[in-house]
Amino acid sequence: MPDHRGVSRKIVLVILGPPGAGKGTQCAQLAQTLSIPHISTGNILRNHVDRHSDLGTRVKEIVDTGGLVPDNSVLEILDQRIAHSDCAEGFILDGFPRTRAQALALDSRLCVLGKDIAIMAIHLIVSEGTLHGRLADRQVCPSCGTSYSNRMEPPKTLGICDHDGSVLVVRADDIADTVRRRLLSYQQQISPIVEHYSSCGALLTVDGDQATHRVTAEILKEIHSFRKRRCPVNASVQSM
């Protein structure tokens, strides 16, 4: 396997895909291989809801129904997270951006951080039947946010998180009616984001119906090639 570190010092990966596409699983694998953190804005927001923070109170109903959290709230938690030292060499975004306005806001923030940052958007394409099957089978850890599938990626002990022993739960936004609304919302939102990253040569489309390890291998291969040719984030901003 090629060395995926050191080709470019800093890279930001944006993982796009509908609910159930396997974004969290791929992010975990990529974070481990590339030694950069996986940032799930959804998990951070759910943590705020569980802690009953001021932000959590404001967005609870939206999060529980799979709605679109206002840009200012999402950008608030993003700014706080990417300021941490572990993001200095890059990071992986899961669940952000969800609108073109958020994509532009991200570009602007990365430009402030410096020119030596390459950005790459990975779009996971998954059939609707596969998505419904995965979401119906999904359970998550309420403490660490790890997702499990009893068919594909089961925990070592049924119903218990491998990492911290918490009892796994079904997320409120994985209930069938909510899933349908989430998929419809995603379909309405994704086109402008895909067009944005495609226009600046920073988009990779991947067949997410493949086995998990094949999806990961394909992404890593493309990242290695992408980092060599580079796509500085300031180029995407200047093209707008």
Side-chain angles (χ1 to χ4, degrees):
M1 178 179 291
D3 182 2
H4 298 288
R5 296 168 296 180
V7 179
S8 167
R9 282 181 294 174
K10 300 178 183 179
I11 188 167
V12 172
L13 300 177
V14 172
I15 311 300
L16 304 172
K23 298 187 295 296
T25 298
Q26 292 304 322
C27 285
Q29 293 291 333
L30 294 170
Q32 181 177 17
T33 302
L34 301 172
S35 299
I36 55 178
H38 163 205
I39 300 173
S40 168
T41 53
N43 285 347
I44 296 174
L45 284 167
R46 281 186 284 272
N47 180 261
H48 275 277
V49 170
D50 292 341
R51 292 190 290 108
H52 305 289
S53 70
D54 290 341
L55 174 60
T57 301
R58 295 200 307 269
V59 302
K60 181 181 188 317
E61 183 176 354
I62 300 173
V63 170
D64 287 347
T65 58
L68 187 62
V69 175
D71 287 355
N72 61 337
S73 297
V74 182
L75 291 169
E76 176 184 342
I77 64 169
L78 178 67
D79 288 340
Q80 293 172 356
R81 181 62 184 88
I82 65 176
H84 291 186
S85 59
D86 64 340
C87 294
E89 299 303 318
F91 47 89
I92 304 169
L93 288 173
D94 170 8
F96 182 93
R98 291 184 65 183
T99 66
R100 184 175 182 275
Q102 290 180 359
L104 292 172
L106 173 62
D107 288 348
S108 298
R109 281 160 169 74
L110 296 181
C111 278
V112 171
L113 295 178
K115 297 181 179 179
D116 192 25
I117 299 178
I119 186 167
M120 181 180 188
I122 299 165
H123 188 199
L124 301 175
I125 305 296
V126 184
S127 64
E128 188 168 340
T130 298
L131 294 174
H132 281 284
R134 288 179 181 176
L135 291 172
D137 192 48
R138 181 163 72 175
Q139 291 182 305
V140 298
C141 174
S143 298
C144 69
T146 302
S147 294
Y148 297 90
S149 165
N150 288 327
R151 289 180 297 177
M152 298 179 62
E153 297 171 339
K156 295 175 182 177
T157 301
L158 186 64
I160 302 296
C161 178
D162 294 345
H163 303 294
D164 56 30
S166 298
V167 176
L168 302 178
V169 299
V170 176
R171 282 179 10 191
D173 53 359
D174 280 348
I175 297 172
D177 287 344
T178 303
V179 167
R180 282 191 286 271
R181 288 196 296 272
R182 291 175 70 199
L183 291 177
L184 178 60
S185 176
Y186 172 80
Q187 291 164 0
Q188 293 171 339
Q189 296 161 8
I190 192 60
S191 292
I193 303 171
V194 168
E195 290 171 3
H196 170 69
Y197 288 115
S198 178
S199 69
C200 58
L203 181 71
L204 169 65
T205 299
V206 178
D207 178 6
D209 275 333
Q210 302 177 84
T212 299
H213 71 280
R214 292 186 180 278
V215 174
T216 305
E218 182 176 339
I219 292 173
L220 287 172
K221 178 181 177 181
E222 293 298 330
I223 287 174
H224 184 69
S225 173
F226 179 82
R227 291 177 107 174
K228 288 192 295 185
R229 69 179 184 266
R230 304 301 304 276
C231 183
V233 67
N234 59 324
S236 67
V237 175
Q238 291 170 0
S239 68
M240 293 297 99

